[in-house]
């Protein structure tokens, strides 16, 4: 097992990624940045991030596609935008 905050370089980028880090950790944005930096995200990849209700509204290099709230949970769908990085 590896930490999502210390990934090796990707052999093949992904088009779709689901992240559900522990809510109190705040690790989601850092994990997504690591995925992008290590080549895990294809151009225009979709990243689903589940957080508590106070999760990030924006991420550098990503466009917000959708945000839904389910009780105390928040699921945001971000699109990797290589033009924004």
């Amino acid at each position: 097992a590896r930490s999502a905050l210390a990934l090796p370089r990707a052999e093949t980028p992904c088009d779709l990624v689901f992240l559900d880090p522990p809510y109190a950790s705040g690790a989601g944005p850092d994990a997504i940045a690591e995925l992008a930096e290590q080549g895990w995200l294809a151009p225009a990849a979709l990243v689903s991030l589940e957080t508590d209700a106070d999760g990030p509204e924006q991420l550098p290099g990503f466009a917000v596609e959708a945000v839904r709230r389910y009780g105390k949970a928040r699921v945001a769908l971000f699109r990797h935008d290589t033009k924004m990085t």
Side-chain angles (χ1 to χ4, degrees), residues 1 5 10 22 27 33 40 44 51 56 60 62 67 70 75-76 82:
L5 302 176
W40 286 90
T51 63
F62 291 83
V67 176
Y70 303 97
V75 177
T82 55

Side-chain angles (χ1 to χ4, degrees), residues 5-75:
L5 302 176
L7 295 171
R9 189 83 186 140
E11 293 180 24
T12 304
C14 300
D15 294 315
L16 180 62
V17 174
F18 293 92
L19 294 173
D20 183 11
Y23 288 175
S25 74
D30 292 337
I32 292 172
E34 179 73 0
L35 288 166
E37 185 174 317
Q38 296 302 328
W40 286 90
L41 301 178
L46 288 173
V47 178
S48 173
L49 176 60
E50 183 175 338
T51 63
D52 61 14
D54 297 323
E57 297 289 329
Q58 301 278 330
L59 293 174
F62 291 83
V64 178
E65 292 287 317
V67 176
R68 300 286 187 271
R69 287 180 173 35
Y70 303 97
K72 294 180 182 181
R74 180 178 175 275
V75 177

Side-chain angles (χ1 to χ4, degrees), residues 81-85:
D81 188 345
T82 55
K83 293 178 251 165
M84 294 175 71
T85 56

